[in-house]
Amino acid sequence: MLQRIITFFERYSFGVCTYLGEKFNISIAKIRLFFIYSSFLAVGFPLIFYVFAGIVLDIRNYIKRAHTKVTDL
């Protein structure tokens, strides 16, 4: 049950923690905890970074998909 909930949020969220974890070879849970704790200390600034990084990752994935569609022709 818990795994289904985690999978749901990973699938429909931006995936910033997953991307950073794979990029820097750090546990995803530790990155999530960092965002949670730093949000309390920095009064929400990490949330602004998270949303900005999510938007950048979505645009990057969109460009990759569009590029592969063009090259498939």
Side-chain angles (χ1 to χ4, degrees):
M1 176 74 172
L2 181 62
Q3 187 62 33
R4 286 181 46 200
I5 294 170
I6 291 172
T7 305
F8 173 79
F9 281 111
E10 277 297 317
R11 188 173 293 152
Y12 294 108
S13 68
F14 290 124
V16 174
C17 293
T18 305
Y19 177 78
L20 291 174
E22 291 173 356
K23 189 76 170 172
F24 296 116
N25 198 19
I26 301 173
S27 171
I28 299 168
K30 289 181 182 179
I31 295 173
R32 286 187 184 126
L33 286 175
F34 170 76
F35 273 111
I36 291 169
Y37 292 143
S38 60
S39 294
F40 289 122
L41 294 175
V43 192
F45 177 73
L47 293 176
I48 295 170
F49 169 76
Y50 186 88
V51 170
F52 179 72
I55 291 170
V56 169
L57 287 175
D58 279 348
I59 291 171
R60 188 174 172 194
N61 289 336
Y62 177 76
I63 291 171
K64 282 184 181 179
R65 279 184 272 147
H67 180 66
T68 56
K69 287 180 184 177
V70 170
T71 58
D72 287 344
L73 296 176

